[in-house]
Amino acid sequence: FQNGASKHDDSVSGGVCLVLALFLLFICLMGLVNVLQRGLAGMSTRIIYKATNVNGLIAIMIGTGITILVQSSSITTSVLTPLVGVGCIQLEQMFPLTLGANIGTTITGLMAAMVADTVDALQVALCHLFFNISGIIIWYPLPFMRKIPLNGARALGRATRRSKLVPPIYIILVFFVIPLLLLAISSLFEQKTVGFTVLGSFIVVIVAAGIAKFVWWWKKQDGHNKCLTWMDKRTVRSECTKTLPEDMLFLKSKVNQLCEHTGLPADEEEGKDAEEGVEKPLMQEVAAAEPQAIEDDDEEA
């Protein structure tokens, strides 16, 4: 950022600042969540519950206003998530606040686009705004449509309690795999050649068949219960692995107590020495008895 700096110097300094900014952002969000979880109790919980128990449209406006003030929807959702976790607000109350936060975060893009010299920046900012508005129009006004994301959130929360692998798998699929797959398919059709068009059609057929197969397995072949059983087994296995050292120490202490009570040797070497000590006199007695038995046989003959 100094005078006379090259493009490479600007790129390096920008990358360093980006990494530091993300690191500080994560630290601040984690601290915010911990403070909220420890500080929200008693009267404050009831006050927040009453303050957020408002009409859905008003909640959307409140979420929009808060996000405009803080210029980040991540802060708004990061504050609301632990509130729902500790029971301060219900999931139905968080839903319109989150929708408002999605609208408020577009204001930052609009403000940045207004100072740009090109029209493309304003077009992108408006697309972001109307995309969120159209999503609200689709999912929020009708009660039965509103239940779809709420039920999905509850199902995802129950699955997360069973296995910690669910959140990263969900994030990778929804935010990386599916968008990249759709982008790749659309780019194949945009080439306007027969070969790429056929390839894109073939990929679409494969993806559709895979989705149909998964739905059939999930619904008709008890895939849902199989998945839950697998997650439960993995959770039990991981918990057993974590508690294995403590369990081994407990078992060793019980074995030592049992050995002290019964007089049995606690170590394998002591047990082997004891067995050898018993076997040697027996072998000596057998060796001494063999000549006497031979003499007796001779006398009888």
Side-chain angles (χ1 to χ4, degrees):
F1 298 112
Q2 297 178 354
N3 293 329
S6 63
K7 185 177 180 180
H8 177 71
D9 296 333
D10 291 338
S11 300
V12 172
S13 58
V16 172
C17 291
L18 177 62
V19 172
L20 291 176
L22 291 176
F23 176 76
L24 293 175
L25 177 62
F26 285 128
I27 294 297
C28 293
L29 290 177
M30 291 173 61
L32 180 63
V33 171
N34 291 329
V35 169
L36 289 173
Q37 288 179 344
R38 297 178 181 179
L40 293 175
M43 185 61 68
S44 60
T45 302
R46 292 191 290 272
I47 293 173
I48 294 174
Y49 181 83
K50 292 181 179 179
T52 55
N53 190 16
V54 295
N55 184 269
L57 295 177
I58 298 176
I60 292 175
M61 296 174 63
I62 292 174
T64 303
I66 294 174
T67 308
I68 291 173
L69 291 176
V70 299
Q71 292 294 308
S72 175
S73 62
S74 300
I75 297 176
T76 306
T77 54
S78 298
V79 171
L80 292 175
T81 301
L83 294 179
V84 177
V86 299
C88 289
I89 60 176
Q90 296 180 354
L91 190 62
E92 289 79 5
Q93 296 170 336
M94 179 183 175
F95 186 40
L97 293 171
T98 305
L99 295 177
N102 291 334
I103 295 178
T105 193
T106 62
I107 304 302
T108 305
L110 286 173
M111 294 173 61
M114 288 179 181
V115 298
D117 297 331
T118 60
V119 183
D120 295 337
L122 185 61
Q123 290 178 348
V124 173
L126 290 174
C127 288
H128 189 197
L129 173 63
F130 286 108
F131 174 79
N132 288 297
I133 293 175
S134 62
I136 294 173
I137 294 173
I138 292 172
W139 296 109
Y140 190 73
L142 299 178
F144 70 93
M145 293 294 291
R146 196 182 307 165
K147 292 180 179 179
I148 295 176
L150 292 175
N151 293 334
R154 291 190 177 95
L156 187 61
R158 289 192 295 268
T160 303
R161 291 185 63 183
R162 290 177 178 268
S163 176
K164 294 182 180 180
L165 288 176
V166 174
I169 292 174
Y170 174 80
I171 292 172
I172 292 172
L173 286 177
V174 174
F175 295 100
F176 292 97
V177 176
I178 295 176
L180 290 175
L181 181 62
L182 295 176
L183 181 63
I185 293 173
S186 63
S187 63
L188 290 176
F189 285 102
E190 288 176 355
Q191 300 300 321
K192 296 181 180 180
T193 58
V194 178
F196 285 110
T197 303
V198 172
L199 179 60
S201 303
F202 186 68
I203 294 175
V204 169
V205 171
I206 293 176
V207 171
I211 294 173
K213 176 64 177 176
F214 176 78
V215 173
W216 175 265
W217 175 79
W218 189 264
K219 296 291 185 181
K220 300 298 182 180
Q221 296 182 350
D222 202 18
H224 179 261
N225 292 329
K226 291 179 181 178
C227 185
L228 293 179
T229 303
W230 176 81
M231 288 191 293
D232 292 339
K233 289 181 179 180
R234 189 182 181 281
T235 302
V236 172
R237 192 183 301 113
S238 62
E239 291 178 356
C240 292
T241 304
K242 290 179 181 178
T243 59
L244 183 60
E246 291 81 3
D247 294 339
M248 292 297 295
L249 292 175
F250 176 77
L251 290 175
K252 287 182 179 179
S253 64
K254 291 298 182 181
V255 170
N256 291 330
Q257 293 177 4
L258 182 62
C259 292
E260 292 176 357
H261 179 72
T262 58
L264 295 174
D267 297 333
E268 293 183 359
E269 295 180 357
E270 294 180 359
K272 290 181 179 179
D273 294 338
E275 291 178 359
E276 291 177 357
V278 173
E279 289 177 357
K280 287 179 179 179
L282 289 176
M283 294 297 293
Q284 291 176 358
E285 292 178 1
V286 172
E290 283 182 355
Q292 185 64 34
I294 293 171
E295 291 178 357
D296 295 338
D297 292 338
D298 293 338
E299 291 176 359
E300 290 178 359

